[in-house]
Amino acid sequence: MSAVGEHWTVQVDKALRGRNDQFAADNRAHFRTAGVFVLNIVSSPGAGKTLLLERTLAALREELRIGVQVGDLQTDNDARRLSGHGASVVQIVTNGCCHLEAGMVAKALESQPLGELDLLIIENVGNLVCPASYDLGEDMRIVLVSVTEGEDKPLKYPTIFRNAQLVVITKLDLVGPAGVDLQLLRENVRRAAPQAHLFELSARTGEGLMDWYAYLRRARSGQAGAS
Ligand code: MG
Ligand code: ZN
């Protein structure tokens, strides 16, 4: 583990993989004890996770103490983008592993004391397949799907949608240029994730962000599910 600029970096090695369910249970117990609400954000690469997090950190920094763990195969580019917003940021470099595991989150917590946080946001590696199989100990799994990915993503990757508490359609500003049928995308999300809340927003223009922040505040204060 090393500190670079304003964030920490954890390099994944063998010891941080495996025994996922045990690590996830331990993480969850620690989160509960500390009263930290935890989000696991998953999506394809390029769906807009990091931009949405940048906006969220800037908007909520005065009211919540936020920690971020961001997983990538290589580079600490995302941690660099996210640092400077008053949050504690840890980059997990997975060295080729295409998902985060609970042991990696536990390791990152060594440089992120839970007693100093209200909300922990974990940005998973961009991948709609195997992150579905790895509980990290989170309270809520959020799937982002951008309008530029087309209407049928939820039907092609049903497992990750089925396990989500929340689905966020991103890049609303690109509906026109992408020529996407937004209504069809909504219907496909509903079909794949009938249990989930659905948000639509554009982190670029700000459309829908107020509702997103309000939802996070309610979720954090234990009123998740209240829409
Ligand atoms: Mg990212
Ligand atoms: Zn994987």
Side-chain angles (χ1 to χ4, degrees), residues 147-148 170-182 207:
V147 301
T148 53
T170 62
K171 306 192 185 181
L172 270 191
D173 53 304
L174 296 180
V175 166
V180 70
D181 182 341
L182 182 59
E207 182 178 1

Side-chain angles (χ1 to χ4, degrees), residues 17 96-101 127 129-131 134:
R17 299 194 55 184
C97 180
C98 56
H99 57 268
L100 290 182
E101 295 190 17
N127 178 353
V129 186
C130 36
Y134 293 88

Side-chain angles (χ1 to χ4, degrees), residues 44-82:
S44 304
K49 295 187 295 301
T50 308
L51 183 60
L52 179 59
L53 283 190
E54 283 184 88
R55 294 280 186 272
T56 303
L57 296 184
L60 299 182
R61 61 182 296 174
E62 301 297 334
E63 48 189 297
L64 292 176
R65 299 170 301 167
I66 305 176
V68 177
Q69 296 185 5
V70 53
D72 283 291
L73 300 175
Q74 290 295 342
T75 83
D76 64 351
N77 291 347
D78 282 2
R80 288 174 194 279
R81 283 176 61 185
L82 292 167

Side-chain angles (χ1 to χ4, degrees), residues 86-166:
S88 128
V89 179
V90 179
Q91 176 77 54
I92 302 172
V93 176
T94 65
N95 290 308
C97 180
C98 56
H99 57 268
L100 290 182
E101 295 190 17
M104 304 175 193
V105 170
K107 179 68 179 175
L109 288 174
E110 290 176 9
S111 48
Q112 211 164 31
L114 286 174
E116 297 171 9
L117 300 180
D118 301 311
L119 175 66
L120 175 64
I121 306 177
I122 302 169
E123 180 189 328
N124 218 309
V125 178
N127 178 353
L128 282 178
V129 186
C130 36
S133 305
Y134 293 88
D135 179 15
L136 304 179
E138 73 271 13
D139 293 291
M140 187 177 285
R141 187 174 296 178
I142 302 176
V143 179
L144 265 56
V145 57
S146 71
V147 301
T148 53
E149 296 174 66
E151 299 92 350
D152 62 350
K153 268 285 164 66
L155 305 182
K156 286 181 174 172
Y157 299 92
T159 308
I160 200 131
F161 282 89
R162 199 185 311 130
N163 291 326
Q165 280 78 45
L166 186 64

